Amino acid sequence: MEYGYSFLILLLPFLSFLVLGLLGMKMKKPVAGLIGTTVLGVLWCMSLYTAYEYFFAIGRDAATGLYPTVTVFNLTWLKFTEFLTFNIGFRLTPISVMMLIVITTVSFMVHIYSFGYMAERDENYKKEGYEKGFQRFYAYLSLFTMSMLGLVVATNIFQMYLFWELVGVCSYLLIGFYYPKHAAVHASKKAFIVTRFADLFFLIGILIFGYYTQSFSFSFVENLQMAAGATPFLPVDTAKAVAAGGFILPTALVLMFIGGAGKSAMFPLHIWLPDAMEGPTPVSALIHAATMVVAGVFQIARLFPLWIEYAPGQMSIVVWVGVFTAFYAAAVACAQSDIKRVLAFSTISQIAFMMVALGVCMPGHHGEIIDAHGSLGYMASMFHLFTHAMFKACLFLGAGCIIHAVHSNEMSAMGGLRKYMPVTHITFLISCLAIAGIPFFSGFSSKDEIITACFQYSPLVGWIMTGVAAMTAFYMFRLYYGIFWGTENKELHAHHTPHEAPLTMTIPLIVLCVITVGVGVYTTIAGFAGLGGSFGSFVTANGQDYTIHFDLQVAATSTVIAILSICLATYIYKGEQQPIADRLYRTFPKLHRAAYKRFYMDEVYQFVTHKIIFRCISTPIAWFDRHVIDGTFDFMAWSANEAGETIRPWQSGDVRQYAVWILTGSVALALILLAI
């Protein structure tokens, strides 16, 4: 059977989680790490083979010319009616196969990297009295990887939601991995609560969708029941017309988008992601590059046919939420001093690029639901998801090497590290050039296509996103110069001389950089020469080939602006002294402080929750609960107790007293009967 081995892609990491979770503490740390890493290596090979088999060996359907949707298995888990069933299965589509490659590649690199990083961190925390956690860490990584793999191969929205929630649980466990640290516990709870709040809307959207369509399928082609009490089922064409003109499906999709916005840290549900940096750096790389934050983008992409057919007008919500988030996060990143938080806000901004790209897709012409021109943003979004995963994982893992060397997250403890850490320096620089959108690096091709799609949608959106791309180049090279150039902290370095990380940590950086450069060189040449075989040959909205052709005006403009931004960052931050930066800080201290404090969004949430919700809503409800509801039941219990105490003497055991009561009752009953 084709893809008969594919169930192992979910089973193996789950078995790894069980073995490491139950028996890990009885193993030596290298053994536990080797088990987890070997399993991920096998998964990576299986994913590559699956991609080869799907895209090349079997290839496109001869009749339609499209890559098929392959349902390897689809088991009924719960069945309520003929139409309403909950299935668990494994389905391959172009974007799910692409996601298999992304998830397993980054996770495999993280597993290898963690051998060096977590071993030292584990020893440092052990000295401070923390519980050993190396084996537990690898168990959580296996579960996290399995959860995301289950999400992307889901055969229906309900299965996606199950693994979606499991991803949230894993993020809680990994962000709060060093649970004796109060900051880590606080960050894990914050991530869990914010994403659960957003997931409530996702669940409501799923229930509305399931109730009115009688299906949890991603693409329902059967019948639609649009209202209870109507004729059992409307004809297909009529149902689609009603759905397209109504508000039920658009409402359900917007509610699902809120869930995706929470998972992908879109404004204003972004507040959990910067604090998630309290988790180990390999976890940050996995969350930001391949798993949690891309889940929201994948959700929109997976449901894209429904959006484009039933809710094209509501896609503007996705666009403007993404536009504002991209600008906001880029502005905050320009003022951060913690290198992991700079990368965190960079991730928020880049995920927003992907959201905007999906939102700017337009319905097709001449009766087509989706055409190549209108769906450019879809391809660009998925392409940027792929490229961003590689260079952002490299950036986070590089940040881990730097923290490993200087024992601090703050740029003030760095500076001049290029001469101590040559491999980390080169790989970090390559990743910065990629995210800045410089030609011949992978980020250029994907970001250029996103900006082109934005200009097709609206010149205003196009120019805003071009400006955000310029800000990206600026703050990333501010970060680069602050770490590797700038003013060296000689006093700190004298006590602890920085050094290059071990091979287990640098090899993943090199691998990810090779992918970044290789993809960038080929797609840049292919985009200018109009060659096939690039990303658009595999993943598009309508399944048809899309040969990437760069818009020369957009490409030239974005490249020039990116280079100018890099030059500006070089001029301000490269030297050992930064007089211009100091002068800007003295001139605009309030603006800098506001950006550093994330424009006080955490304070706004604290005010809304504590001063309004807790004080004005929760406190009255709690008073009502304690005094009215509890009081009522307490009164009933007291009344029953008092009644029992009152009649207790009647059960005295004295026969003479019983005789008196019987005589008295008989006389009273006789008098009543006579009176009647």
Side-chain angles (χ1 to χ4, degrees):
M1 183 179 71
E2 294 178 357
Y3 312 106
Y5 58 86
S6 58
F7 73 96
L8 294 173
I9 294 177
L10 297 181
L11 181 61
L12 288 179
F14 182 68
L15 293 178
S16 174
F17 162 70
L18 290 180
V19 170
L20 296 177
L22 297 176
L23 305 175
M25 296 306 294
K26 298 180 180 180
M27 303 176 185
K28 293 183 178 180
K29 289 192 289 188
V31 174
L34 186 61
I35 291 174
T37 305
T38 302
V39 168
L40 256 296
V42 172
L43 287 181
W44 182 60
C45 294
M46 292 175 66
S47 297
L48 291 176
Y49 179 74
T50 300
Y52 167 77
E53 193 173 20
Y54 184 84
F55 287 120
F56 299 103
I58 298 176
R60 299 177 182 273
D61 185 275
T64 63
L66 307 177
Y67 288 113
T69 297
V70 180
T71 302
V72 181
F73 62 87
N74 194 26
L75 307 176
T76 299
W77 181 34
L78 298 173
K79 184 172 183 178
F80 293 98
T81 68
E82 182 180 353
F83 297 98
L84 188 59
T85 59
F86 295 155
N87 295 334
I88 300 291
F90 193 103
R91 179 169 293 171
L92 296 176
T93 64
I95 60 170
S96 66
V97 174
M98 182 269 292
M99 287 299 298
L100 290 179
I101 297 295
V102 170
I103 295 166
T104 56
T105 300
V106 175
S107 185
F108 185 36
M109 295 300 106
V110 166
H111 275 70
I112 297 173
Y113 179 92
S114 298
F115 261 102
Y117 184 88
M118 290 303 296
E120 178 167 322
R121 300 292 284 184
D122 211 36
E123 290 302 316
N124 290 340
Y125 284 115
K126 182 181 177 182
K127 294 175 184 177
E128 300 175 20
Y130 290 14
E131 179 189 349
K132 293 189 295 183
F134 188 89
Q135 299 91 331
R136 178 166 52 92
F137 178 78
Y138 272 90
Y140 291 166
L141 284 186
S142 295
L143 183 63
F144 202 2
T145 304
M146 186 275 290
S147 303
M148 192 63 193
L149 290 171
L151 189 155
V152 299
V153 299
T155 59
N156 56 82
I157 302 175
F158 182 77
Q159 180 183 345
M160 173 186 276
Y161 182 75
L162 290 179
F163 285 98
W164 182 282
E165 291 302 305
L166 195 54
V167 166
V169 172
C170 295
S171 68
Y172 170 79
L173 295 172
L174 285 167
I175 293 169
F177 180 73
Y178 291 118
Y179 53 82
K181 290 177 60 179
H182 294 296
V185 173
H186 175 77
S188 64
K189 290 192 296 184
K190 188 176 184 179
F192 191 78
I193 292 170
V194 172
T195 53
R196 293 294 75 67
F197 173 77
D199 292 349
L200 172 64
F201 292 92
F202 187 16
L203 178 60
I204 294 172
I206 292 174
L207 295 177
I208 292 174
F209 179 89
Y211 177 77
Y212 282 96
T213 66
Q214 291 291 295
S215 171
F216 290 108
S217 173
F218 289 114
S219 57
F220 53 94
V221 294
E222 298 87 6
N223 299 314
L224 294 173
Q225 184 178 10
M226 299 307 300
T231 55
F233 291 98
L234 297 172
V236 174
D237 293 338
T238 306
K240 288 187 176 181
V242 173
F247 68 92
I248 294 298
L249 290 184
T251 300
L253 291 171
V254 170
L255 289 172
M256 293 185 204
F257 166 68
I258 295 174
K263 196 73 80 179
S264 290
M266 295 293 99
F267 186 92
L269 299 170
H270 67 284
I271 59 170
W272 67 269
L273 191 57
D275 290 348
M277 297 302 97
E278 293 295 335
T281 301
V283 172
S284 302
L286 195 57
I287 288 177
H288 286 251
T291 53
M292 188 165 177
V293 295
V294 301
V297 177
F298 179 82
Q299 182 223 80
I300 303 296
R302 194 68 182 85
L303 298 173
F304 186 75
L306 298 177
W307 279 92
I308 204 73
E309 183 171 3
Y310 298 117
Q314 283 67 32
M315 293 180 75
S316 61
I317 298 174
V318 180
V319 173
W320 290 107
V321 168
V323 167
F324 184 82
T325 302
F327 175 77
Y328 164 83
V332 173
C334 290
Q336 299 301 302
S337 59
D338 183 319
I339 63 173
K340 287 180 67 177
R341 279 178 168 76
V342 174
L343 296 177
F345 280 100
S346 170
T347 297
I348 295 173
S349 185
Q350 296 303 302
I351 295 296
F353 263 89
M354 302 173 203
M355 287 289 193
V356 172
L358 290 172
V360 298
C361 293
M362 297 173 286
H365 305 288
H366 309 297
E368 295 185 30
I369 296 176
I370 307 172
D371 62 11
H373 179 77
S375 64
L376 170 61
Y378 181 96
M379 184 278 297
S381 177
M382 295 297 97
F383 189 19
H384 197 57
L385 189 156
F386 177 86
T387 60
H388 174 265
M390 302 306 161
F391 59 68
K392 183 53 64 70
C394 186
L395 286 167
F396 265 107
L397 297 182
C401 293
I402 296 160
I403 296 168
H404 175 271
V406 302
H407 301 286
S408 175
N409 291 24
E410 293 293 325
M411 280 191 278
S412 59
M414 302 168 193
L417 293 182
R418 67 189 185 282
K419 52 191 175 184
Y420 300 106
M421 309 177 69
V423 176
T424 304
H425 170 230
I426 295 300
T427 55
F428 203 92
L429 175 60
I430 290 172
S431 299
C432 286
L433 291 169
I435 196 173
I438 301 301
F440 300 104
F441 297 93
S442 60
F444 166 76
S445 304
S446 56
K447 189 175 290 185
D448 182 80
E449 293 298 274
I450 290 177
I451 294 175
T452 301
C454 290
F455 273 107
Q456 291 179 359
Y457 178 82
S458 165
L460 176 61
V461 174
W463 283 114
I464 293 175
M465 298 309 290
T466 301
V468 175
M471 295 170 68
T472 302
F474 176 80
Y475 69 67
M476 287 306 302
F477 275 84
R478 168 184 175 267
L479 176 67
Y480 165 73
Y481 287 120
I483 296 172
F484 296 103
W485 296 75
T487 305
E488 182 179 352
N489 193 326
K490 295 183 179 180
E491 181 180 354
L492 179 63
H493 295 174
H495 293 288
H496 183 81
T497 304
H499 56 86
E500 187 61 88
L503 285 176
T504 53
M505 297 172 67
T506 54
I507 288 176
L509 301 182
I510 296 170
V511 172
L512 292 169
C513 268
V514 168
I515 296 173
T516 297
V517 174
V519 171
V521 169
Y522 180 79
T523 55
T524 301
I525 295 173
F528 283 116
L531 302 177
S534 58
F535 192 85
S537 299
F538 304 104
V539 178
T540 57
N542 58 5
Q544 300 173 357
D545 275 350
Y546 184 88
T547 301
I548 295 176
H549 292 279
F550 291 139
D551 186 315
L552 294 180
Q553 182 177 355
V554 172
T557 302
S558 61
T559 301
V560 169
I561 290 177
I563 292 174
L564 290 176
S565 298
I566 293 173
C567 292
L568 180 61
T570 304
Y571 178 65
I572 296 176
Y573 295 106
K574 182 182 179 182
E576 292 192 1
Q577 303 296 326
Q578 290 91 33
I580 298 176
D582 296 337
R583 192 181 313 127
L584 288 172
Y585 175 75
R586 291 192 300 269
T587 306
F588 305 104
K590 292 184 178 179
L591 179 61
H592 181 275
R593 180 67 177 171
Y596 181 78
K597 296 289 289 183
R598 314 169 196 176
F599 294 101
Y600 304 103
M601 282 304 302
D602 286 274
E603 287 75 8
V604 170
Y605 270 96
Q606 287 287 334
F607 176 81
V608 171
T609 54
H610 288 75
K611 301 296 184 181
I612 297 178
I613 297 177
F614 292 170
R615 178 177 295 179
C616 300
I617 300 176
S618 300
T619 299
I621 291 175
W623 182 92
F624 182 83
D625 180 62
R626 286 194 301 269
H627 293 84
V628 178
I629 297 179
D630 288 355
T632 299
F633 284 95
D634 289 345
F635 175 76
M636 294 171 63
W638 175 84
S639 300
N641 185 63
E642 288 299 312
E645 291 291 339
T646 301
I647 66 174
R648 180 179 295 174
W650 297 1
Q651 299 289 334
S652 63
D654 188 344
V655 177
R656 292 172 298 175
Q657 186 180 19
Y658 293 166
V660 171
W661 280 110
I662 292 172
L663 180 60
T664 303
S666 300
V667 172
L669 182 61
L671 292 175
I672 292 172
L673 293 174
L674 290 173
I676 295 175

